[in-house]
Amino acid sequence: MQYLYIAYQAFPCFTTFPLLVIFAKTMSTTFKFVVFIGLLITNTFQVSFSSVISTGDFSKDFSVAWSPSHVYTTADGRTRSLKLDQESGSGFASNQMFLFGQIDMQIKLVPGHSAGTVLAFYLSSDQPKRDEIDFEFLGNVSGQPYILQTNVYADGNDDREERIYLWFDPTKNFHTYSVLWNLHQIVFMVDRIPIRLYRNHADKGVAYPRWQPMSIKASLWNGDSWATRGGKDKIDWSKGPFIASFRNYKIDACPWNGNPRFCRAESSTNWWNKERYTTLTSTQRRWFKWVRLHHMIYDYCQDNKRFQNNLPKECSLPKY
């Protein structure tokens, strides 16, 4: 019997549905039928696309927030680049704010000797006690692996950094960096692989971003006081300008209209609030454990010295 291999990455929304592969044989011909079983695939497409509010055009969905002369957007609006030089860094931000959903962005990082640079892709509420969900890519000396730092601010408190080495060269091609944010969990993903979880344990006194809407932001800036080897490797401006590029983003999220109950409700458009997104699937858990085992280099929940043997409460609570 021959087996049919299904590439789930092409259709990530199908990974939660059972898959039935039926082989029927007649005389000399083998017929292969693939049947996707769910509530209905048609309904799946409706859920997936009806909640996508992005146009794919940076000029329509985002505004330049910092140094317009250092932000370049292609004529069709599909690709945007940020530049850092001795004059300035640069950044952009979404025109709307959101409360829960999934944000995907394809990014190609600063190539070559990028020590001291920081590229941030994040969600932020911009309030005095702000909530924030961060990807921070820390520049490196040529030949060294890129470090991805993630962080979560909740009610103005951070100190929740984790760091991993990326298992590929993120400067050669575009890769997809995603955040799934709902009432139950925040999942950081790289090419659909979950690299970090932050669970909602608000009922146990752990702060969780659940009330403040956030905008989507990106910035490229000088972080050489801390970013590479604790600030030992400074930016070599002779290697600049430093450029990072963005494309193929998707905003599948709840636009803020002033009423959090609308975004917190379970509905056909708020698919991220459904039961199956309250935790990772078994396959996602295996990938998550692989990342933690082979690529993690710092976890605040293991830094007893920093917290003087009084680790944050969430460190002793379940991630799933």
mmCIF file of all heavy atoms in Angstrom, residues 10-18 36-52 250 252 267-272 274 276-277:
data_model
loop_
_atom_site.group_PDB
_atom_site.id
_atom_site.type_symbol
_atom_site.label_atom_id
_atom_site.label_comp_id
_atom_site.label_asym_id
_atom_site.label_seq_id
_atom_site.Cartn_x
_atom_site.Cartn_y
_atom_site.Cartn_z
ATOM 1 N N ALA A 10 1.147 23.987 4.393
ATOM 2 C CA ALA A 10 0.494 24.735 3.329
ATOM 3 C C ALA A 10 -0.885 25.205 3.757
ATOM 4 O O ALA A 10 -1.383 26.226 3.290
ATOM 5 C CB ALA A 10 0.377 23.880 2.069
ATOM 6 N N PHE A 11 -1.516 24.421 4.674
ATOM 7 C CA PHE A 11 -2.852 24.784 5.147
ATOM 8 C C PHE A 11 -2.877 24.669 6.667
ATOM 9 O O PHE A 11 -3.462 23.736 7.219
ATOM 10 C CB PHE A 11 -3.915 23.861 4.551
ATOM 11 C CG PHE A 11 -3.949 23.898 3.047
ATOM 12 C CD1 PHE A 11 -3.337 22.902 2.308
ATOM 13 C CD2 PHE A 11 -4.576 24.934 2.372
ATOM 14 C CE1 PHE A 11 -3.358 22.933 0.922
ATOM 15 C CE2 PHE A 11 -4.601 24.967 0.989
ATOM 16 C CZ PHE A 11 -3.990 23.969 0.260
ATOM 17 N N PRO A 12 -2.228 25.592 7.391
ATOM 18 C CA PRO A 12 -2.116 25.446 8.846
ATOM 19 C C PRO A 12 -3.457 25.411 9.553
ATOM 20 O O PRO A 12 -3.572 24.852 10.625
ATOM 21 C CB PRO A 12 -1.300 26.682 9.251
ATOM 22 C CG PRO A 12 -1.440 27.645 8.118
ATOM 23 C CD PRO A 12 -1.578 26.798 6.886
ATOM 24 N N CYS A 13 -4.518 26.018 8.959
ATOM 25 C CA CYS A 13 -5.818 26.020 9.636
ATOM 26 C C CYS A 13 -6.432 24.636 9.671
ATOM 27 O O CYS A 13 -7.352 24.377 10.433
ATOM 28 C CB CYS A 13 -6.773 27.009 8.974
ATOM 29 S SG CYS A 13 -7.138 26.622 7.256
ATOM 30 N N PHE A 14 -5.919 23.692 8.867
ATOM 31 C CA PHE A 14 -6.478 22.336 8.843
ATOM 32 C C PHE A 14 -5.898 21.448 9.927
ATOM 33 O O PHE A 14 -6.374 20.338 10.124
ATOM 34 C CB PHE A 14 -6.206 21.669 7.495
ATOM 35 C CG PHE A 14 -6.956 22.293 6.344
ATOM 36 C CD1 PHE A 14 -6.545 22.074 5.049
ATOM 37 C CD2 PHE A 14 -8.068 23.097 6.555
ATOM 38 C CE1 PHE A 14 -7.218 22.639 3.983
ATOM 39 C CE2 PHE A 14 -8.740 23.660 5.502
ATOM 40 C CZ PHE A 14 -8.326 23.440 4.208
ATOM 41 N N THR A 15 -4.863 21.909 10.622
ATOM 42 C CA THR A 15 -4.155 21.007 11.522
ATOM 43 C C THR A 15 -5.005 20.560 12.695
ATOM 44 O O THR A 15 -4.700 19.560 13.326
ATOM 45 C CB THR A 15 -2.879 21.671 12.063
ATOM 46 O OG1 THR A 15 -3.240 22.900 12.707
ATOM 47 C CG2 THR A 15 -1.903 21.928 10.946
ATOM 48 N N THR A 16 -6.076 21.275 12.985
ATOM 49 C CA THR A 16 -6.902 20.872 14.115
ATOM 50 C C THR A 16 -8.037 19.953 13.714
ATOM 51 O O THR A 16 -8.804 19.514 14.545
ATOM 52 C CB THR A 16 -7.500 22.111 14.801
ATOM 53 O OG1 THR A 16 -8.236 22.846 13.820
ATOM 54 C CG2 THR A 16 -6.415 22.984 15.385
ATOM 55 N N PHE A 17 -8.169 19.668 12.428
ATOM 56 C CA PHE A 17 -9.247 18.810 11.969
ATOM 57 C C PHE A 17 -8.742 17.401 11.729
ATOM 58 O O PHE A 17 -7.627 17.188 11.262
ATOM 59 C CB PHE A 17 -9.846 19.354 10.671
ATOM 60 C CG PHE A 17 -10.590 20.637 10.874
ATOM 61 C CD1 PHE A 17 -9.967 21.837 10.630
ATOM 62 C CD2 PHE A 17 -11.896 20.621 11.312
ATOM 63 C CE1 PHE A 17 -10.646 23.024 10.833
ATOM 64 C CE2 PHE A 17 -12.580 21.804 11.511
ATOM 65 C CZ PHE A 17 -11.945 23.017 11.279
ATOM 66 N N PRO A 18 -9.581 16.386 11.984
ATOM 67 C CA PRO A 18 -9.197 15.010 11.653
ATOM 68 C C PRO A 18 -9.026 14.860 10.156
ATOM 69 O O PRO A 18 -9.692 15.518 9.379
ATOM 70 C CB PRO A 18 -10.390 14.188 12.159
ATOM 71 C CG PRO A 18 -11.113 15.072 13.115
ATOM 72 C CD PRO A 18 -10.870 16.472 12.642
ATOM 73 N N PHE A 36 -11.272 15.520 4.119
ATOM 74 C CA PHE A 36 -11.081 16.368 5.294
ATOM 75 C C PHE A 36 -12.406 16.420 6.056
ATOM 76 O O PHE A 36 -13.432 16.758 5.492
ATOM 77 C CB PHE A 36 -10.687 17.794 4.903
ATOM 78 C CG PHE A 36 -9.333 17.900 4.307
ATOM 79 C CD1 PHE A 36 -9.170 17.840 2.923
ATOM 80 C CD2 PHE A 36 -8.222 18.065 5.100
ATOM 81 C CE1 PHE A 36 -7.923 17.930 2.360
ATOM 82 C CE2 PHE A 36 -6.967 18.164 4.534
ATOM 83 C CZ PHE A 36 -6.819 18.094 3.165
ATOM 84 N N ILE A 37 -12.340 16.056 7.350
ATOM 85 C CA ILE A 37 -13.548 16.035 8.156
ATOM 86 C C ILE A 37 -13.436 17.125 9.218
ATOM 87 O O ILE A 37 -12.518 17.162 9.989
ATOM 88 C CB ILE A 37 -13.734 14.671 8.828
ATOM 89 C CG1 ILE A 37 -13.815 13.594 7.754
ATOM 90 C CG2 ILE A 37 -14.975 14.671 9.710
ATOM 91 C CD1 ILE A 37 -13.911 12.213 8.325
ATOM 92 N N GLY A 38 -14.371 18.017 9.293
ATOM 93 C CA GLY A 38 -14.441 19.038 10.333
ATOM 94 C C GLY A 38 -15.877 19.436 10.484
ATOM 95 O O GLY A 38 -16.768 18.711 10.097
ATOM 96 N N LEU A 39 -16.112 20.559 11.013
ATOM 97 C CA LEU A 39 -17.489 21.047 11.041
ATOM 98 C C LEU A 39 -17.984 21.221 9.630
ATOM 99 O O LEU A 39 -19.104 20.871 9.312
ATOM 100 C CB LEU A 39 -17.563 22.374 11.813
ATOM 101 C CG LEU A 39 -17.251 22.265 13.296
ATOM 102 C CD1 LEU A 39 -17.255 23.640 13.930
ATOM 103 C CD2 LEU A 39 -18.259 21.372 13.974
ATOM 104 N N LEU A 40 -17.154 21.828 8.796
ATOM 105 C CA LEU A 40 -17.301 21.904 7.342
ATOM 106 C C LEU A 40 -16.117 22.705 6.859
ATOM 107 O O LEU A 40 -15.788 23.733 7.422
ATOM 108 C CB LEU A 40 -18.606 22.615 6.929
ATOM 109 C CG LEU A 40 -19.892 21.769 6.863
ATOM 110 C CD1 LEU A 40 -21.060 22.660 6.497
ATOM 111 C CD2 LEU A 40 -19.772 20.623 5.892
ATOM 112 N N ILE A 41 -15.462 22.259 5.786
ATOM 113 C CA ILE A 41 -14.314 23.003 5.291
ATOM 114 C C ILE A 41 -14.743 24.369 4.788
ATOM 115 O O ILE A 41 -14.050 25.371 4.949
ATOM 116 C CB ILE A 41 -13.600 22.206 4.185
ATOM 117 C CG1 ILE A 41 -12.904 21.001 4.796
ATOM 118 C CG2 ILE A 41 -12.571 23.072 3.483
ATOM 119 C CD1 ILE A 41 -11.970 21.328 5.934
ATOM 120 N N THR A 42 -15.937 24.426 4.211
ATOM 121 C CA THR A 42 -16.438 25.715 3.747
ATOM 122 C C THR A 42 -16.515 26.688 4.902
ATOM 123 O O THR A 42 -16.114 27.841 4.808
ATOM 124 C CB THR A 42 -17.839 25.556 3.116
ATOM 125 O OG1 THR A 42 -17.752 24.626 2.060
ATOM 126 C CG2 THR A 42 -18.353 26.893 2.598
ATOM 127 N N ASN A 43 -17.006 26.197 6.038
ATOM 128 C CA ASN A 43 -17.105 27.048 7.208
ATOM 129 C C ASN A 43 -15.727 27.466 7.689
ATOM 130 O O ASN A 43 -15.524 28.582 8.159
ATOM 131 C CB ASN A 43 -17.852 26.320 8.320
ATOM 132 C CG ASN A 43 -18.107 27.196 9.523
ATOM 133 O OD1 ASN A 43 -18.696 28.263 9.386
ATOM 134 N ND2 ASN A 43 -17.668 26.755 10.683
ATOM 135 N N THR A 44 -14.753 26.562 7.562
ATOM 136 C CA THR A 44 -13.392 26.890 7.958
ATOM 137 C C THR A 44 -12.875 28.066 7.164
ATOM 138 O O THR A 44 -12.242 28.987 7.700
ATOM 139 C CB THR A 44 -12.469 25.667 7.734
ATOM 140 O OG1 THR A 44 -12.947 24.587 8.504
ATOM 141 C CG2 THR A 44 -11.045 25.998 8.138
ATOM 142 N N PHE A 45 -13.083 28.058 5.863
ATOM 143 C CA PHE A 45 -12.638 29.176 5.045
ATOM 144 C C PHE A 45 -13.348 30.467 5.440
ATOM 145 O O PHE A 45 -12.743 31.532 5.464
ATOM 146 C CB PHE A 45 -12.878 28.874 3.567
ATOM 147 C CG PHE A 45 -11.784 28.068 2.953
ATOM 148 C CD1 PHE A 45 -11.940 26.707 2.747
ATOM 149 C CD2 PHE A 45 -10.583 28.659 2.599
ATOM 150 C CE1 PHE A 45 -10.922 25.960 2.185
ATOM 151 C CE2 PHE A 45 -9.569 27.911 2.035
ATOM 152 C CZ PHE A 45 -9.737 26.547 1.828
ATOM 153 N N GLN A 46 -14.630 30.367 5.789
ATOM 154 C CA GLN A 46 -15.352 31.560 6.198
ATOM 155 C C GLN A 46 -14.756 32.134 7.467
ATOM 156 O O GLN A 46 -14.553 33.334 7.591
ATOM 157 C CB GLN A 46 -16.829 31.229 6.416
ATOM 158 C CG GLN A 46 -17.583 30.930 5.125
ATOM 159 C CD GLN A 46 -18.996 30.472 5.391
ATOM 160 O OE1 GLN A 46 -19.355 30.135 6.521
ATOM 161 N NE2 GLN A 46 -19.804 30.460 4.354
ATOM 162 N N VAL A 47 -14.450 31.263 8.435
ATOM 163 C CA VAL A 47 -13.846 31.726 9.677
ATOM 164 C C VAL A 47 -12.499 32.350 9.407
ATOM 165 O O VAL A 47 -12.146 33.396 9.919
ATOM 166 C CB VAL A 47 -13.716 30.561 10.671
ATOM 167 C CG1 VAL A 47 -12.872 30.964 11.858
ATOM 168 C CG2 VAL A 47 -15.096 30.098 11.119
ATOM 169 N N SER A 48 -11.703 31.696 8.569
ATOM 170 C CA SER A 48 -10.350 32.150 8.319
ATOM 171 C C SER A 48 -10.308 33.506 7.642
ATOM 172 O O SER A 48 -9.488 34.336 7.975
ATOM 173 C CB SER A 48 -9.609 31.105 7.467
ATOM 174 O OG SER A 48 -8.307 31.540 7.160
ATOM 175 N N PHE A 49 -11.199 33.710 6.675
ATOM 176 C CA PHE A 49 -11.068 34.913 5.867
ATOM 177 C C PHE A 49 -11.967 36.065 6.306
ATOM 178 O O PHE A 49 -11.642 37.210 6.076
ATOM 179 C CB PHE A 49 -11.328 34.576 4.397
ATOM 180 C CG PHE A 49 -10.215 33.791 3.788
ATOM 181 C CD1 PHE A 49 -10.337 32.428 3.588
ATOM 182 C CD2 PHE A 49 -9.031 34.401 3.428
ATOM 183 C CE1 PHE A 49 -9.298 31.696 3.031
ATOM 184 C CE2 PHE A 49 -7.990 33.679 2.876
ATOM 185 C CZ PHE A 49 -8.121 32.326 2.678
ATOM 186 N N SER A 50 -13.101 35.762 6.945
ATOM 187 C CA SER A 50 -14.001 36.844 7.313
ATOM 188 C C SER A 50 -13.420 37.720 8.400
ATOM 189 O O SER A 50 -13.829 38.860 8.562
ATOM 190 C CB SER A 50 -15.349 36.274 7.765
ATOM 191 O OG SER A 50 -15.190 35.459 8.901
ATOM 192 N N SER A 51 -12.481 37.180 9.198
ATOM 193 C CA SER A 51 -11.891 37.957 10.280
ATOM 194 C C SER A 51 -10.580 38.621 9.887
ATOM 195 O O SER A 51 -10.001 39.364 10.674
ATOM 196 C CB SER A 51 -11.675 37.058 11.501
ATOM 197 O OG SER A 51 -10.899 35.923 11.148
ATOM 198 N N VAL A 52 -10.081 38.355 8.686
ATOM 199 C CA VAL A 52 -8.853 39.006 8.220
ATOM 200 C C VAL A 52 -9.206 40.424 7.777
ATOM 201 O O VAL A 52 -10.001 40.622 6.862
ATOM 202 C CB VAL A 52 -8.215 38.223 7.054
ATOM 203 C CG1 VAL A 52 -6.998 38.974 6.509
ATOM 204 C CG2 VAL A 52 -7.814 36.828 7.509
ATOM 205 N N LYS A 250 -0.397 39.442 7.751
ATOM 206 C CA LYS A 250 -1.826 39.174 7.869
ATOM 207 C C LYS A 250 -2.287 39.570 9.262
ATOM 208 O O LYS A 250 -1.710 39.133 10.269
ATOM 209 C CB LYS A 250 -2.152 37.707 7.604
ATOM 210 C CG LYS A 250 -3.658 37.422 7.628
ATOM 211 C CD LYS A 250 -3.996 36.021 7.133
ATOM 212 C CE LYS A 250 -3.632 34.959 8.124
ATOM 213 N NZ LYS A 250 -4.172 33.623 7.738
ATOM 214 N N ASP A 252 -5.353 39.093 11.440
ATOM 215 C CA ASP A 252 -6.585 38.319 11.618
ATOM 216 C C ASP A 252 -7.003 38.540 13.069
ATOM 217 O O ASP A 252 -6.745 37.709 13.938
ATOM 218 C CB ASP A 252 -6.301 36.852 11.326
ATOM 219 C CG ASP A 252 -7.566 36.042 11.125
ATOM 220 O OD1 ASP A 252 -8.654 36.582 11.381
ATOM 221 O OD2 ASP A 252 -7.464 34.875 10.717
ATOM 222 N N SER A 267 -17.314 33.836 18.635
ATOM 223 C CA SER A 267 -18.168 34.005 17.458
ATOM 224 C C SER A 267 -17.459 33.427 16.252
ATOM 225 O O SER A 267 -16.305 32.987 16.337
ATOM 226 C CB SER A 267 -18.469 35.496 17.226
ATOM 227 O OG SER A 267 -17.287 36.188 16.844
ATOM 228 N N SER A 268 -18.138 33.433 15.109
ATOM 229 C CA SER A 268 -17.531 32.888 13.896
ATOM 230 C C SER A 268 -16.310 33.688 13.474
ATOM 231 O O SER A 268 -15.361 33.136 12.903
ATOM 232 C CB SER A 268 -18.562 32.858 12.761
ATOM 233 O OG SER A 268 -19.035 34.166 12.485
ATOM 234 N N THR A 269 -16.316 34.977 13.734
ATOM 235 C CA THR A 269 -15.155 35.796 13.354
ATOM 236 C C THR A 269 -14.064 35.746 14.415
ATOM 237 O O THR A 269 -12.878 35.760 14.094
ATOM 238 C CB THR A 269 -15.564 37.258 13.104
ATOM 239 O OG1 THR A 269 -16.315 37.728 14.217
ATOM 240 C CG2 THR A 269 -16.388 37.373 11.837
ATOM 241 N N ASN A 270 -14.447 35.673 15.682
ATOM 242 C CA ASN A 270 -13.460 35.560 16.762
ATOM 243 C C ASN A 270 -13.036 34.107 16.951
ATOM 244 O O ASN A 270 -13.156 33.532 18.036
ATOM 245 C CB ASN A 270 -14.030 36.112 18.065
ATOM 246 C CG ASN A 270 -14.294 37.600 18.032
ATOM 247 O OD1 ASN A 270 -13.994 38.269 17.047
ATOM 248 N ND2 ASN A 270 -14.860 38.131 19.102
ATOM 249 N N TRP A 271 -12.505 33.497 15.898
ATOM 250 C CA TRP A 271 -12.188 32.071 15.925
ATOM 251 C C TRP A 271 -11.155 31.729 16.996
ATOM 252 O O TRP A 271 -11.129 30.609 17.521
ATOM 253 C CB TRP A 271 -11.686 31.612 14.556
ATOM 254 C CG TRP A 271 -10.482 32.351 14.046
ATOM 255 C CD1 TRP A 271 -10.479 33.409 13.196
ATOM 256 C CD2 TRP A 271 -9.108 32.092 14.356
ATOM 257 N NE1 TRP A 271 -9.188 33.841 12.954
ATOM 258 C CE2 TRP A 271 -8.333 33.048 13.654
ATOM 259 C CE3 TRP A 271 -8.448 31.156 15.152
ATOM 260 C CZ2 TRP A 271 -6.935 33.093 13.729
ATOM 261 C CZ3 TRP A 271 -7.065 31.196 15.233
ATOM 262 C CH2 TRP A 271 -6.322 32.160 14.523
ATOM 263 N N TRP A 272 -10.290 32.688 17.320
ATOM 264 C CA TRP A 272 -9.201 32.444 18.275
ATOM 265 C C TRP A 272 -9.726 32.196 19.688
ATOM 266 O O TRP A 272 -8.981 31.718 20.539
ATOM 267 C CB TRP A 272 -8.245 33.636 18.274
ATOM 268 C CG TRP A 272 -8.962 34.953 18.344
ATOM 269 C CD1 TRP A 272 -9.418 35.587 19.459
ATOM 270 C CD2 TRP A 272 -9.343 35.768 17.240
ATOM 271 N NE1 TRP A 272 -10.061 36.745 19.123
ATOM 272 C CE2 TRP A 272 -10.029 36.887 17.764
ATOM 273 C CE3 TRP A 272 -9.175 35.662 15.854
ATOM 274 C CZ2 TRP A 272 -10.548 37.903 16.950
ATOM 275 C CZ3 TRP A 272 -9.687 36.677 15.042
ATOM 276 C CH2 TRP A 272 -10.361 37.776 15.592
ATOM 277 N N LYS A 274 -12.207 30.161 20.359
ATOM 278 C CA LYS A 274 -12.850 28.851 20.406
ATOM 279 C C LYS A 274 -12.039 27.862 21.243
ATOM 280 O O LYS A 274 -10.845 28.031 21.455
ATOM 281 C CB LYS A 274 -13.063 28.316 18.984
ATOM 282 C CG LYS A 274 -14.103 29.126 18.190
ATOM 283 C CD LYS A 274 -14.347 28.525 16.830
ATOM 284 C CE LYS A 274 -15.394 29.314 16.068
ATOM 285 N NZ LYS A 274 -16.720 29.256 16.715
ATOM 286 N N ARG A 276 -10.729 24.979 20.822
ATOM 287 C CA ARG A 276 -9.533 24.297 20.325
ATOM 288 C C ARG A 276 -8.284 25.185 20.330
ATOM 289 O O ARG A 276 -7.184 24.695 20.082
ATOM 290 C CB ARG A 276 -9.776 23.735 18.926
ATOM 291 C CG ARG A 276 -10.099 24.760 17.847
ATOM 292 C CD ARG A 276 -10.322 24.029 16.526
ATOM 293 N NE ARG A 276 -10.755 24.908 15.445
ATOM 294 C CZ ARG A 276 -12.020 25.193 15.175
ATOM 295 N NH1 ARG A 276 -12.976 24.680 15.935
ATOM 296 N NH2 ARG A 276 -12.345 25.987 14.173
ATOM 297 N N TYR A 277 -8.465 26.487 20.589
ATOM 298 C CA TYR A 277 -7.303 27.376 20.667
ATOM 299 C C TYR A 277 -6.957 27.757 22.099
ATOM 300 O O TYR A 277 -6.191 28.695 22.330
ATOM 301 C CB TYR A 277 -7.550 28.631 19.826
ATOM 302 C CG TYR A 277 -7.751 28.316 18.362
ATOM 303 C CD1 TYR A 277 -9.019 28.359 17.799
ATOM 304 C CD2 TYR A 277 -6.676 27.919 17.570
ATOM 305 C CE1 TYR A 277 -9.219 28.032 16.458
ATOM 306 C CE2 TYR A 277 -6.860 27.584 16.237
ATOM 307 C CZ TYR A 277 -8.133 27.648 15.687
ATOM 308 O OH TYR A 277 -8.331 27.303 14.370
#
